[in-house]
Amino acid sequence: MHPARSIIVFTTLSGAGFGLVALLALGALAGSGSPLLWAALLALALTGVGLLSSTFHLGHPERAWRALTQWRTSWLSREGVLSIATLGLFAVQMAADLFYGMRLVPLGLVTAALATVTVYATAMIYASLKTVPRWHTRLTPACYLGFAAAGGAMLASAFAAGADGRAAGLEWLALGFLLVAWAAKGLWWFRADRIPLGSGDSRPETATRLGRYGRVRLLEPPHSMGNYLTREMVFRTARRHAAALRRAAALLGGGLPVLLLAAGLAAGGWIWPAAASLSFLLGLLAERWLFFAEAEHVVSLYYGEGERARPAGFPARPA
Amino acid sequence: MTALPNDTPKKLGLVIDLDVCVGCHACVVNCKEWNTGGYGAALSDQEPYGETPSGTFLNRIHTFEVLPEANGAGASPMVVHFPKSCLHCADAPCVTVCPTGASYKRAEDGIVLVNEDWCIGCGLCAWACPYGARELDEAEGVMKKCTLCVDRIYNENLEEVDRVPACVRTCPTNARHFGDLADPDSAVSRLVAARGGVDLMPEQGTAPVNKYLPPRRNRAPAGAADETPPAAPRERAAGLTGWLERVVEMIG
Ligand code: SF4
Ligand code: SF4
Ligand code: SF4
């Protein structure tokens, strides 16, 4: 799939943002005054910028409100409804704490649950697509939820450490979430590598139903140049390039944050978890780029992808 | 509404005969011609006379070559021209993913349409379609797809003989047939039964209404099977890798 910059930025920022929303709603930083204020503003900014950037790739952004109507069937619609509900409740809860010193615990629990379901809905937009076998797994929501929780905990610990000098609890939490998230992502990559296009149920032979006659191979595409479908869905990445990016994603999004969080646990100070968060978000941008770029869409089978090699010894066609 | 109708009394659709299609692209041209002036926004072209021409089409012809698996001496590849437009699936994933309600399947005849005044151009329906039957128009920013020529088939201003889709009307070899596939006695249903019409990518679970008639046996290479052979099962790796493979399968 074509990795659209707006969607990559959206899913990365809003994921971490909703993670932060959930933790703040659960009471991290409750009653701390200005650290809570800044953390809440950052959470709103991350989710808000994310939502805004997701409308950039629309053909008709002015009609975006219509996307809130089909929550009965569409995960994209559910995501929109859930994010607005979550942010509304979150704003109420934070205002109550900041301006009236009220701790609305039940409201916080609901908000945190909604934030979690919002991230789940984002992931399900992709995981529900049968047409993209590498996305169509429960591991996809596991990764999205894990990364959102890890990002949220890291950001929250930076603010908490800014207030108290130390935030051991949150830092341990961030480490735990990071571990779970990267374990899920590792499995996701492991699975993805085992199901290249054309190796599963959908193959050029089933796409054309000509498999009974032999191996199917594209002789001529419909037009001499590309089209919307080939630009949007028949995206190819160089294997070496992808492998290098995976290493960068794991290093920036996993390895480095672990070291920085450990330093934070040892030395204290907000700078460590803040640096960890920054590195994490950069790593996740790479991870998200790959999530799209390495996804293969079955429509590519109609465009000559996923074909088995020409059988050995097959008579060469006249040049 | 993007909920699918449970069942439609009529299932209007196309039957495409791969045995006789000669790949002339006449249906592509007539589809574009009719639909650029008909239902909804025009079908735009980008750089039509430039370096990288591209444009919106509701119907495209691919050409495949089939290489006989048992490749005895003298075996030669079979060339099959392959028209592809929306299959008006009964279980249309493109409809249920639409967040706005712009995509819908008509309860009365099963035609899958886009209400272009509601479409936000998010493109998710094109991702959900396995067949590449939906294209976002670059000039209009809305999703375009085959309408089954809904503005022809019920159009009483046209002569009776023209009340069929443009692609069907124009095909010089009669490779495209239009009719009600819910009615077992319709000409198209009988054609499907007689010629063993098939669904494309049945494993995707979309239950397409459109059917494809495979090339006749006399064109097929000797030793051809009756059905697409299943994919070779993957061998489970040994040790840790095998264990991980099992874990991933369990998670699903
Ligand atoms: S062919 Fe594609 S666009 Fe047409 S109904 Fe089926 S899934 Fe939808
Ligand atoms: S592009 Fe239009 S029709 Fe397709 S899912 Fe988005 S809003 Fe619905
Ligand atoms: S039925 Fe009409 S819109 Fe559909 S492919 Fe044929 S000519 Fe095009």
Side-chain angles (χ1 to χ4, degrees), chain A residues 67-218:
Chain A
L68 303 176
T69 59
Q70 303 303 310
W71 46 269
R72 281 187 205 81
T73 63
S74 162
W75 282 107
L76 179 52
S77 187
R78 285 172 198 161
E79 179 201 39
V81 173
L82 285 164
S83 31
I84 290 173
T86 308
L87 294 181
L89 294 186
F90 178 66
V92 170
Q93 192 206 356
M94 291 298 112
D97 184 320
L98 289 164
F99 304 129
Y100 302 101
M102 279 179 351
R103 295 256 196 113
L104 304 177
V105 175
L107 180 64
L109 290 177
V110 174
T111 309
L114 277 176
T116 310
V117 185
T118 306
V119 175
Y120 180 74
T122 304
M124 285 309 289
I125 297 171
Y126 309 109
S128 66
L129 294 178
K130 239 185 168 171
T131 47
V132 184
R134 283 177 170 168
W135 286 352
H136 192 58
T137 162
R138 279 196 268 264
L139 286 168
T140 299
C143 295
Y144 272 72
L145 286 167
F147 285 133
M154 244 177 277
L155 288 167
S157 54
F159 285 100
D164 302 334
R166 277 188 184 275
L170 282 167
E171 283 168 345
W172 278 113
L173 197 65
L175 278 173
F177 283 142
L178 257 186
L179 206 72
V180 173
W182 278 104
K185 190 68 207 189
L187 275 181
W188 194 97
W189 277 340
F190 175 86
R191 174 181 177 277
D193 288 341
R194 268 157 186 73
I195 49 168
L197 189 73
S199 69
D201 290 342
S202 294
R203 293 168 286 141
E205 286 74 25
T206 66
T208 57
R209 293 302 297 275
L210 296 170
R212 65 178 84 174
Y213 303 130
R215 291 176 187 224
V216 176
R217 185 176 164 273
L218 184 71

Side-chain angles (χ1 to χ4, degrees), chain B residues 69-94:
Chain B
E69 201 86 61
N71 97 70
S76 57
M78 170 167 69
V79 170
V80 180
H81 302 290
F82 196 93
K84 190 159 55 59
S85 48
C86 171
L87 294 95
H88 297 279
C89 307
D91 227 331
C94 56

